[in-house]
Each structure stands twice: as C-alpha cells, then as structure tokens.
Amino acid sequence: IKLLERPFCKIQSILEKAEKQHQSANTIEKLIATIATNKETKVAVQKVTKILAVYSLIPAAKLKMAKCPGFLSILVKITDTHNMNRMKSLRPVSKRLMANKTNIHNQNHQSDSNYYHNNSGNNTSGNNNNNSNLAASDDDRSIISQSTKLLNPIAPSTVEQPTNNTIPGISNTNNANDNTNINSSQISSGSNGIRGTTAGVGLYMTEASRFNSIAILTNLAAVEKNRLIMLSEPGLVNNIARVVHNERSDVARQCSALAIMNLSNGDREHVPELAGNDLLLEAIVKLTRDDLLETRRNAVIALFNVACADENTVKLVRYKDGVILDVLMQIVGSSNVSDVEDEMNEDVRTTAAEALFNISCSSIVETTDRFANHPNLLETCALVLKSHFLSREVKVYCAAILRRMAEIINFPKKSQLEL
C-alpha cells in the first residue's frame, strides 16, 4: 500500500506547491510526469496491482484485503477517471497547435480531395497510438470466462509498458504557454482524496493498472461481508461506474458489470440501496445495451438484485421518467428468433422479466402507478404471452405481472383501459 500511495503523495505535494507558487498548468504537468508518475513509477504500480489481483483470487485473502486500512482508498485513487475531458480543456494551447487549426480551417475552402490528402498523415499516426494503447487490454480478453449467475473471480491483466512520460487523458503539446496559471477554482478537493485535482488521478496511471484494480474490487465484492465495507468507501461505486463511460476496453466494461452485479447481490432485507445513485444507474443502462452478451447479462442481474428491495423500486421507476422500465421491456419483448435460440440470451430475457415482476409487486403506490401507466409496458407483456418463440419462464412472469396489475388497477385509473 505504501508503494501504491507514493505517486499520489507526490502529486498532492506538487499540487500544494503549485497553489502557493502560482505555477502554470504546463509546469505542473511536467513536474507530475517527471517526478510523480514517470515510467518506472507507472510500471511499479502496474506490477503491484497485478500481484494483488492474483492474490484477490484466494478466498481466504478477500476479507483481509478489504479490511486492510488504506487498501480500498488507494484502489479508489487508481480507478478514478472522473472529468477525463477536463484534463484536456485545462491545458494551455500552444501556438503550433493554434496554427495547425488555422491551416485546417483555411483548407475547408479547398476541394475535399486536398483536405483528406493533407490530413491523412495525422489520422494515421493517431490510429497507431490508439492501437498501441489498446494492445494490453485486448490481450486480456481471454481472462474472462463464460460465467453463470454465480460470482466469478477476475484474473489480472498482462503488463503494459508505458511508452513515454505523457499523461493519459492529456493531449501532447510541446510549446505550451507557461504564462497560463491555474486559478483558485481549479485547486479544489477531489473525490479521490487528493486536494487540487480537477480530474481523476487514476488517469496518470496505465490502463492496465486501472483494470487490475477493478479486477481486485470485483473479486473482493464476491464476499458478502465485504460489500457493506466497499459500499461505504467514498468514491468506490462511482469509479466502478465510470469505467463503463471512460475505459476503451470491452474487458474493462465487462469487469465493471460483474463488479456492479457482485455489489448489488443480497437478500430482500439486505440489498444495497444502489438505486439512488444516478451515475450507477446510467452505467447499468449502458451495460444492458453492450455488444457482449455476458456483460448485458450481468447488468440485467444487477437490476434484478436492486429491484428485490421494495424501497429501491420507486427510485428505479423514477429514473429519467422510466428509462429502466424501457430497457427491461425491450429485453423481454425482443422477438428476434436468433436471440431466442441462444440459451444465455434467453436467460437474460428471463431475468429481465423477473426484475419487472419484482417492481410490479412493490407495496409503494407511486411505483405501481408509474409501472401501470408506463407506455406499452402492459401491452408488451400481453404480446409475450402470444409469442410462439419465447420460453415458458418468460411467459409465466409476464402473466404474473398482468395478474398483479389486474389486482391493483381500479377505476378511474387510466391504465385500466389498456389492461
């Protein structure tokens, strides 16, 4: 833990000194890149997180790791990618880049062939850089095994060697204006515990380090006793949710979905109240539309787990005026024959129908009213019963939903006519 904390302590020291001496953004960046997060430091953090990810696979170690003082907080710092775009916007723009932008603007008046010819070189170099950064994450795709509803451990990623001292999330400019200073509004307390950060300090680490840390959190969340400890750690849940939006790797998003599913797992009386976290719900909604079927499955299971608690159902139906209901309804009502023939896809559909049934059984009047009045929801359940392709389990839950609505919907409620 001391080794992992070392670069973040240096970042904190640099930011505090910058505030007192009114140093420029470019100067601060150079100090962080050369002193706090140089190549050797990044590799060290990456290797240590890889070792810890392997260690987190051991059942007897999971509880001890979660209870170790300072361990979860350092993982929060490594995985913190909030305000990723802010790091680009705060940098001073060099005269060279401004000149390039002016030239590109002038070229817009020329023919399309000349425009694309002049910019083809830049686009190619950018693609090469992206491919080199993605290489480590793509190699990790094999570590995710086909899983069931059981909580599965995640293995660590392979080591990604940083190619230079540039900071992830910051565009590379060489001739920045040193007279541009950071004002007091930019020096504030970050959610990661480091004062002076306007963007997540995890962006200074390698992508593999962040993935290893997410894998550790996923494995620790598989232990029921760890969940409340992890949920009480400031910024932990939000950083797991940000992986969905900020990380480019499909494997990282899949790992995030499994971590969210693990944290949401519990019985009806002890389900974590995650439904009030809009950032988390936004991440789950995005995961339910992911290209990877296993990622979608884990996201739907997370919604089912959250919906098991009655007090969570009203938050689910309120979120963005019923987006959660839309997502579950689309999964249940999908009539793609190829999807029906896929066993795991049918499992996802059944879990979504069960989640809808849990919401419909809520004792909260607002929940059931919003559920009954949601556009096309009851009609979708009725169409499922007529389908010749969908499984018996899905039809049973849809029939139970309609029966539940028939019990509670009375005149003069508008949804009675649709029912």
Side-chain angles (χ1 to χ4, degrees), residues 259-271:
I260 294 171
M261 185 191 76
N262 286 351
L263 288 174
S264 67
N265 190 44
D267 55 43
R268 293 184 65 89
E269 296 181 357
H270 300 92
V271 175

Side-chain angles (χ1 to χ4, degrees), residues 342-392:
D342 190 296
E343 183 177 352
M344 183 178 287
N345 213 327
E346 193 62 20
D347 180 56
V348 173
R349 193 193 310 275
T350 303
T351 305
E354 192 173 1
L356 283 174
F357 175 68
N358 282 349
I359 297 175
S360 71
C361 291
S362 174
S363 60
I364 303 174
V365 177
E366 182 184 352
T367 300
T368 54
D369 282 349
R370 284 177 175 267
F371 188 95
N373 293 322
H374 192 77
N376 301 322
L377 179 53
L378 300 182
E379 181 181 358
T380 299
C381 292
L383 292 175
V384 168
L385 297 179
K386 297 179 180 180
S387 173
H388 299 291
F389 304 103
L390 300 182
S391 67
R392 179 178 178 275

Side-chain angles (χ1 to χ4, degrees), residues 68-311:
C68 182
F71 183 64
L72 291 179
S73 62
I74 193 63
L75 293 181
V76 170
K77 292 177 182 178
I78 296 174
T79 57
D80 187 8
T81 58
H82 80 278
N83 289 345
M84 176 178 281
N85 294 330
R86 177 94 52 98
M87 297 187 75
K88 294 181 179 180
S89 62
L90 287 178
R91 275 186 55 85
V93 180
S94 68
K95 294 180 179 179
R96 176 178 58 84
L97 288 183
M98 289 298 293
N100 288 341
K101 290 182 179 180
T102 303
N103 292 335
I104 292 175
H105 176 73
N106 293 335
Q107 290 170 1
N108 288 336
H109 299 287
Q110 300 177 3
S111 64
D112 291 341
S113 59
N114 289 334
Y115 176 79
Y116 290 113
H117 175 74
N118 292 334
N119 289 278
S120 60
N122 294 333
N123 290 336
T124 302
S125 61
N127 291 335
N128 289 337
N129 291 334
N130 290 336
N131 291 335
S132 63
N133 291 331
L134 285 169
S137 298
D138 291 340
D139 290 340
D140 296 333
R141 187 180 300 276
S142 60
I143 70 173
I144 303 295
S145 60
Q146 294 297 327
S147 61
T148 61
K149 288 187 180 180
L150 298 177
L151 306 176
N152 296 327
I154 297 295
S157 67
T158 55
V159 176
E160 169 193 351
Q161 295 293 341
T163 56
N164 50 44
N165 290 333
T166 58
I167 300 175
I170 299 183
S171 56
N172 185 23
T173 57
N174 298 324
N175 301 322
N177 184 2
D178 289 336
N179 294 327
T180 304
N181 297 325
I182 292 182
N183 56 42
S184 59
S185 64
Q186 296 171 349
I187 304 293
S188 58
S189 297
S191 61
N192 46 50
I194 294 185
R195 186 174 183 275
T197 54
T198 56
V201 289
L203 296 171
Y204 297 124
M205 300 295 107
T206 64
E207 186 176 7
S209 296
R210 296 196 298 271
F211 174 78
N212 290 338
S213 300
I214 289 292
I216 295 170
L217 294 174
T218 303
N219 294 336
L220 297 185
V223 179
E224 185 177 358
K225 293 182 179 180
N226 285 345
R227 290 168 196 155
L228 291 179
I229 300 175
M230 297 175 68
L231 290 169
S232 62
E233 182 65 33
L236 188 147
V237 174
N238 286 348
N239 286 353
I240 293 177
R242 289 189 182 100
V243 171
V244 181
H245 305 285
N246 296 342
E247 298 294 350
R248 297 168 295 180
S249 169
D250 292 338
V251 180
R253 289 194 298 273
Q254 188 175 3
C255 189
S256 176
L258 185 57
I260 294 171
M261 185 191 76
N262 286 351
L263 288 174
S264 67
N265 190 44
D267 55 43
R268 293 184 65 89
E269 296 181 357
H270 300 92
V271 175
E273 295 184 9
L274 301 175
N277 189 327
D278 285 353
L279 178 62
L280 181 64
L281 292 181
E282 183 181 0
I284 294 177
V285 169
K286 187 173 182 178
L287 289 171
T288 59
R289 297 163 179 166
D290 195 84
D291 293 335
L292 294 175
L293 180 56
E294 188 175 352
T295 300
R296 298 201 302 270
R297 183 192 69 88
N298 291 337
V300 173
I301 292 175
L303 285 178
F304 164 75
N305 289 338
V306 174
C308 286
D310 201 17
E311 61 271 18

